[in-house]
Amino acid sequence: MIRGKVNLNIPTNLVFKTEGITKSVQRGDVIIVIDVLRCSSTIVTALANAAEGVIPTKTVKEARALRKKHSEFLLAGERRGVKLKGFDLGNSPLEFSPQKVKGRHIVLTTTSGSKAIISSKKAKHVFAGAFLNVEAIAKATSKIAEREETGISLVSAGTDGQFSLEDFICAGAIAESFPATVFIHSDAVLAAILAFKQAKQSLKKVIQSGYHAQYLISQGFEEDIKFCSQLSIYKVVPFLKGGTIVSLEKSLSFC
Amino acid sequence: MIRGKVNLNIPTNLVFKTEGITKSVQRGDVIIVIDVLRCSSTIVTALANAAEGVIPTKTVKEARALRKKHSEFLLAGERRGVKLKGFDLGNSPLEFSPQKVKGRHIVLTTTSGSKAIISSKKAKHVFAGAFLNVEAIAKATSKIAEREETGISLVSAGTDGQFSLEDFICAGAIAESFPATVFIHSDAVLAAILAFKQAKQSLKKVIQSGYHAQYLISQGFEEDIKFCSQLSIYKVVPFLKGGTIVSLEKSLSFC
């Protein structure tokens, strides 16, 4: 690393609510949308299993309209954690197997994550991050931020705009993987790094203690929590390109 | 502890912005206002050094008016960290020595902490918490919450409404000292506990890395950071009673 880069002091920032995204976009930050349970984890898994692209929509109506227009698209998503009527898939990453998603476009509408991604769409660089792809997302986004001398905003999509334990810890995991000498972390990012460091030895157990995990477990999704708690098992970097989330490796020569 | 109490499931909550206090007050929560750097630490120190009471005001004008009415009151506070013109004391806890404050009433106006305390004044129980009195504040407030079957809101007063590293960690320190079997922590409180557990071995160093600590250091207040990073050195429990913060032990028979 050359000395000039060491002194860049690129700011990182943690955004808790969708409203905060506007400021991040205005600053020209690289955006990483984190919705561990389960939107981001599902997107990462779908792309890792060779889906062609994931198209997030805010509403169920938009999702159905897209499918009507493109009958070859898979329709996926949830409200209150549960698969929607007539949809091919819910929002459980375990459903997004290579057999089901390889080569397919998937329309995805979820309570929080899809909306946060769409709220970020005016940004030049929008990514989806989860525990599943921590190392890959940290590497790709920090390279872009260094090259373009922009900040990075980690967006904790949360549940209904509430503070989310798993998203906060995941933000810390990603920030901990950034090159330490190049970035200046905000207080919230510093706190998230501390929380991740403390949590990482028993990540699944910690995530299970969170509010949304408890709700998902009550709905029969305990296996999803286990799956989504795995660190860096995928190298895929989901990147928003013209309204569709695609694998960065496939779409561009950033890395 | 009797079995009934074990099953109380008292909710704890972390409030990041002053606006959030209203909901906590409406729910009837016990409120703990945390402004480690430095309002809460100053209040704790003043009362530990036998000040009679601390009267928080939102504005400098109100503070001056109170002093005009009561010439025996000490006038203390800051804006942007710096002591105000004509004031007896700033907002550095190190200034609040027994020699200066014993038996005195102190009017205190600060950028964040005083305002958060005043915003909470409609609550039945409002306390000030800092690292300096973690054990005492956790013990006193958890007893009240158990007895009255109310929740507890930890209010991170922050700086200008921003996320504050030191207040977040202090909230975690206090929550960690609550009886584990009685309380149900929100996601933010769980995250704060994780952050505190990770930070506590090098608390001073971690707090020094925060945004507001860095600002205070640049203004020559490095010793304040060291002082405010000490865990549970005082047993004083500052409690708001009729607009004045007094020592709970002196004023009531709660503990």
Side-chain angles (χ1 to χ4, degrees):
Chain A
M1 190 175 286
I2 58 165
R3 185 153 178 83
K5 282 196 175 178
V6 172
N7 293 325
L8 276 179
N9 289 344
I10 290 170
T12 70
N13 181 38
L14 209 162
V15 178
F16 289 101
K17 293 198 174 184
T18 315
E19 307 96 77
I21 296 174
T22 313
K23 277 189 188 174
S24 303
V25 173
Q26 283 167 349
R27 277 198 304 269
D29 281 8
V30 171
I31 311 271
I32 307 172
V33 175
I34 302 165
D35 185 3
V36 171
L37 298 175
R38 297 165 291 172
C39 181
S40 298
S41 302
T42 294
I43 291 166
V44 170
T45 307
L47 296 181
N49 287 339
E52 197 59 33
V54 178
I55 305 154
T57 74
K58 270 195 182 179
T59 67
V60 177
K61 201 177 165 184
E62 287 171 86
R64 290 195 202 278
L66 261 174
R67 156 68 159 266
K68 209 169 179 182
K69 209 171 163 188
H70 305 275
S71 60
E72 73 281 15
F73 285 3
L74 286 171
L75 204 47
E78 55 74 30
R79 286 298 179 272
R80 295 193 54 76
V82 181
K83 188 168 113 173
L84 290 151
K85 205 178 165 185
F87 273 42
D88 304 300
L89 301 158
N91 187 28
S92 165
L94 297 169
E95 293 180 77
F96 291 67
S97 63
Q99 292 75 18
K100 284 193 182 157
V101 303
K102 191 178 176 186
R104 306 288 296 268
H105 276 92
I106 305 156
V107 182
L108 180 67
T109 183
T110 70
T111 311
S112 307
S114 298
K115 290 173 189 169
I117 291 167
I118 292 163
S119 299
S120 314
K121 70 180 179 187
K122 285 186 181 167
K124 190 174 170 191
H125 303 294
V126 183
F127 295 89
F131 286 114
L132 302 173
N133 71 336
V134 159
E135 275 180 28
I137 200 85
K139 191 177 167 191
T141 53
S142 60
K143 273 191 183 180
I144 295 170
E146 281 183 55
R147 193 187 58 202
E148 303 202 359
E149 296 189 22
T150 62
I152 296 182
S153 278
L154 297 143
V155 176
S156 166
T159 307
D160 304 325
Q162 295 298 305
F163 182 103
S164 158
L165 178 66
E166 63 277 5
D167 294 347
F168 184 75
I169 295 173
C170 185
I174 294 168
E176 203 215 8
S177 293
F178 291 148
T181 50
V182 182
F183 290 87
I184 296 285
H185 299 311
S186 75
D187 273 21
V189 175
L190 289 172
I193 293 173
L194 288 167
F196 168 68
K197 282 183 173 174
Q198 182 65 27
K200 69 178 171 188
Q201 294 311 322
S202 51
L203 200 53
K204 192 184 74 190
K205 200 177 154 196
V206 170
I207 294 170
Q208 275 175 340
S209 70
Y211 179 82
H212 192 50
Q214 286 294 311
Y215 174 74
L216 288 174
I217 290 167
S218 77
Q219 299 297 305
F221 293 115
E222 190 164 357
E223 288 303 313
D224 280 8
I225 321 293
K226 284 186 194 169
F227 182 80
C228 297
S229 305
Q230 299 172 99
L231 263 176
S232 300
I233 60 164
Y234 293 134
K235 290 189 175 172
V236 73
V237 178
F239 173 70
L240 187 65
K241 190 183 176 188
T244 301
I245 304 160
V246 293
S247 173
L248 181 64
E249 211 177 27
K250 276 187 189 171
S251 70
L252 294 157
S253 57
F254 271 129
C255 297
Chain B
M1 189 175 286
I2 60 167
R3 187 154 178 81
K5 283 197 174 177
V6 172
N7 292 325
L8 275 180
N9 290 343
I10 290 170
T12 70
N13 182 38
L14 210 163
V15 178
F16 289 101
K17 293 199 175 183
T18 315
E19 307 96 77
I21 295 174
T22 313
K23 278 188 186 174
S24 303
V25 174
Q26 283 167 349
R27 277 198 305 268
D29 282 8
V30 171
I31 311 272
I32 306 172
V33 175
I34 302 165
D35 184 2
V36 171
L37 298 175
R38 297 166 290 172
C39 181
S40 298
S41 301
T42 294
I43 292 167
V44 170
T45 306
L47 295 181
N49 288 339
E52 197 59 33
V54 178
I55 305 154
T57 73
K58 269 195 184 179
T59 66
V60 178
K61 202 177 164 185
E62 287 171 87
R64 291 196 202 276
L66 260 174
R67 157 67 160 268
K68 209 169 179 181
K69 209 171 160 186
H70 304 275
S71 61
E72 74 280 16
F73 286 3
L74 286 170
L75 204 48
E78 54 75 30
R79 285 299 179 272
R80 295 193 56 74
V82 181
K83 188 168 113 173
L84 290 151
K85 205 178 164 186
F87 273 42
D88 304 300
L89 302 157
N91 187 28
S92 164
L94 297 170
E95 292 179 77
F96 291 68
S97 62
Q99 293 75 18
K100 283 193 183 158
V101 304
K102 192 177 176 186
R104 305 289 296 267
H105 276 93
I106 303 156
V107 182
L108 179 68
T109 183
T110 70
T111 312
S112 307
S114 299
K115 290 173 188 167
I117 292 167
I118 292 163
S119 299
S120 313
K121 69 180 180 187
K122 286 187 180 166
K124 189 174 170 190
H125 303 294
V126 183
F127 295 89
F131 286 114
L132 302 174
N133 71 336
V134 159
E135 275 180 27
I137 199 85
K139 192 177 167 191
T141 53
S142 60
K143 273 191 181 178
I144 295 170
E146 282 183 55
R147 193 186 58 201
E148 305 202 357
E149 296 191 23
T150 63
I152 296 181
S153 277
L154 299 142
V155 176
S156 165
T159 307
D160 305 324
Q162 295 298 304
F163 183 103
S164 157
L165 179 66
E166 63 278 5
D167 294 347
F168 185 75
I169 295 172
C170 185
I174 294 169
E176 203 216 9
S177 293
F178 291 148
T181 51
V182 182
F183 290 86
I184 296 286
H185 299 311
S186 74
D187 273 21
V189 175
L190 289 172
I193 292 172
L194 288 167
F196 169 67
K197 282 183 173 173
Q198 183 66 28
K200 70 178 170 188
Q201 295 310 321
S202 51
L203 201 51
K204 192 184 74 189
K205 200 177 154 195
V206 170
I207 294 170
Q208 276 174 339
S209 69
Y211 180 82
H212 191 50
Q214 287 293 312
Y215 174 73
L216 288 174
I217 290 166
S218 78
Q219 298 298 305
F221 293 114
E222 191 164 357
E223 288 303 315
D224 280 9
I225 320 294
K226 284 186 195 170
F227 182 79
C228 297
S229 304
Q230 299 171 99
L231 263 177
S232 300
I233 60 164
Y234 293 134
K235 289 188 175 170
V236 73
V237 178
F239 174 69
L240 187 66
K241 191 182 176 189
T244 301
I245 304 160
V246 294
S247 173
L248 181 63
E249 210 176 28
K250 276 190 191 171
S251 70
L252 294 157
S253 57
F254 272 129
C255 298

